[in-house]
Amino acid sequence: MTHVDHQAIDAAEPEARAGDARAEAFQGVRAARRNELAEDYVELIAELIHTQGEARPVDIATKMGVTAPTVAKTLDRLARDGLITRAKYRSVFLTEEGRALAKECRHRHEIVLRFLIRLGLDPETAEHDAEGIEHHVSERTLALFAAFANRS
Amino acid sequence: MTHVDHQAIDAAEPEARAGDARAEAFQGVRAARRNELAEDYVELIAELIHTQGEARPVDIATKMGVTAPTVAKTLDRLARDGLITRAKYRSVFLTEEGRALAKECRHRHEIVLRFLIRLGLDPETAEHDAEGIEHHVSERTLALFAAFANRS
DNA sequence: GCTAAAAGTTAGACGAAGCTAACAATCTGC
DNA sequence: GCAGATTGTTAGCTTCGTCTAACTTTTAGC
Ligand SMILES: [Mn+2]
Ligand SMILES: [Mn+2]
Ligand SMILES: [Mn+2]
Ligand SMILES: [Mn+2]
């Protein structure tokens, strides 16, 4: 467990062709990028289920700022990847795996957000930046962020 | 200038459909994502020109950890977007605009890296994480990172 | 219980970013 | 200055993530 992996879903991009340390870093970033969308979706779905009782595609679309067909296609991919289950014209459910990923993402998001605020950032900007940064923070960095956020 | 924009190249994704603050954050992240690759390329090209005297596609491919055809196609896009110039079978040059972007990216990369190391991260991991985080750091956050990195 | 609005789906387009296979140009070492 | 190695290009395939347009199903209000 070196870089950002978070029990990644992967399968794509033939690794190995490493050699260069730089190349490895870029490959790690590309791997993280492939999971970003899934992470944001399951995190949002968990939140909707918690606050609204259910996760409807229309609400996902609104919160994500995309159109309904985009959500539909993305949900199909998440289902294919075993993170959610869904039935036609019904709202969405997380699988065990999806729930685990959501929890992990929520946790990471929370730490990055608190860290940025602790650093002195306004909550608005902190929320924006955390939404992007959270996917590129290794376990080590996360631990340091948490320590900083919790320091008295 | 709210979130990550760094004089972004954009043009895609019809904004406006905001309303929700969350949606705006996600749209910002997607916008940042669209510039990531261009940023990494121009930064690397600038570095190669500086250290090797020229930026050859084969070296870009090695450092980025991708194949030569992938580099070729990406370079075509960068040329289309006015960041580089290139001639068949020759190495790559940055335009004025590309040079400006490279400088900005280098600067951002440097600050994020120094910040992470200052936080207590090992240089290895710091380099990996910085490569991903740099694209999702707003001006405000960058300023705080710089201040933290430079504090006595 | 109809009907109109809301929500969801399907089809199809498009660009980005990756790959492999095959070919072409350039460089290098003798 | 030629041959073989290296580098670069082209063609074509794939998946992802976005969109619009058109259609279907469900829900809600009367
Ligand atoms: Mn996010
Ligand atoms: Mn998040
Ligand atoms: Mn980078
Ligand atoms: Mn960089």
Side-chain angles (χ1 to χ4, degrees):
Chain A
M1 206 189 288
T2 34
H3 189 46
V4 176
D5 55 353
H6 327 298
Q7 62 147 202
I9 315 153
D10 278 74
E13 180 139 341
E15 212 70 17
R17 192 208 324 92
D20 194 89
R22 183 81 71 90
E24 275 183 77
F26 280 126
Q27 283 169 343
V29 172
R30 284 199 299 276
R33 223 174 277 164
R34 273 183 264 114
N35 296 322
E36 284 187 68
L37 205 64
E39 292 179 355
D40 285 336
Y41 266 75
V42 298
E43 192 185 350
L44 175 56
I45 289 166
E47 184 194 310
L48 285 171
I49 288 173
H50 184 252
T51 65
Q52 316 290 302
E54 63 176 344
R56 301 187 314 162
V58 67
D59 294 323
I60 298 174
T62 300
K63 296 281 187 189
M64 293 286 300
V66 296
T67 62
T70 294
V71 168
K73 221 176 251 186
T74 304
L75 291 178
D76 284 345
R77 279 194 300 270
L78 296 182
R80 182 201 62 191
D81 294 342
L83 294 171
I84 65 168
T85 57
R86 70 203 220 92
K88 259 195 182 183
Y89 296 102
R90 299 265 86 107
S91 57
V92 178
F93 299 89
L94 291 169
T95 62
E96 200 51 62
E97 192 186 338
R99 230 169 292 131
L101 182 59
K103 187 175 174 184
E104 185 192 317
C105 290
R106 170 97 207 276
H107 180 242
R108 231 180 323 129
H109 188 119
E110 204 63 32
I111 288 177
V112 173
L113 179 62
R114 287 200 300 126
F115 169 79
L116 290 175
I117 289 173
R118 189 60 182 259
L119 236 203
L121 203 61
D122 63 291
E124 207 81 352
T125 310
E127 187 52 75
H128 276 227
D129 285 17
E131 200 56 78
I133 292 173
E134 57 175 353
H135 312 281
H136 300 275
V137 165
S138 64
E139 279 305 317
R140 273 180 166 151
T141 301
L142 194 66
L144 289 169
F145 278 18
F148 185 93
N150 291 332
R151 112 218 125 134
S152 49
Chain B
M1 203 189 289
T2 34
H3 187 48
V4 176
D5 55 354
H6 326 298
Q7 61 147 203
I9 315 151
D10 279 73
E13 181 138 343
E15 212 70 19
R17 192 207 324 89
D20 194 89
R22 183 83 70 91
E24 276 183 78
F26 280 126
Q27 283 170 342
V29 172
R30 285 199 297 275
R33 225 173 278 166
R34 271 184 264 114
N35 296 323
E36 283 187 69
L37 205 66
E39 291 179 356
D40 285 336
Y41 267 74
V42 297
E43 193 186 347
L44 175 56
I45 289 166
E47 184 194 309
L48 286 171
I49 289 173
H50 184 253
T51 64
Q52 315 290 302
E54 64 177 340
R56 303 186 313 160
V58 68
D59 294 323
I60 297 174
T62 300
K63 297 279 187 189
M64 294 285 301
V66 297
T67 62
T70 295
V71 169
K73 223 179 251 185
T74 303
L75 291 178
D76 284 345
R77 278 194 299 271
L78 296 182
R80 181 202 60 190
D81 295 342
L83 294 170
I84 65 169
T85 57
R86 69 202 222 92
K88 260 195 180 181
Y89 297 101
R90 298 266 87 104
S91 58
V92 177
F93 300 88
L94 290 169
T95 62
E96 200 50 63
E97 190 186 340
R99 227 169 295 129
L101 182 59
K103 187 175 173 186
E104 185 193 318
C105 291
R106 170 97 208 275
H107 179 241
R108 230 179 323 127
H109 188 119
E110 205 61 33
I111 288 178
V112 173
L113 180 62
R114 288 201 300 125
F115 170 78
L116 289 175
I117 289 173
R118 188 60 183 260
L119 235 204
L121 204 59
D122 62 292
E124 207 82 352
T125 311
E127 188 51 75
H128 276 227
D129 284 19
E131 199 56 78
I133 291 173
E134 58 176 352
H135 311 282
H136 300 275
V137 165
S138 63
E139 279 306 316
R140 274 181 165 150
T141 300
L142 194 67
L144 289 168
F145 279 17
F148 185 94
N150 291 333
R151 115 217 124 133
S152 51

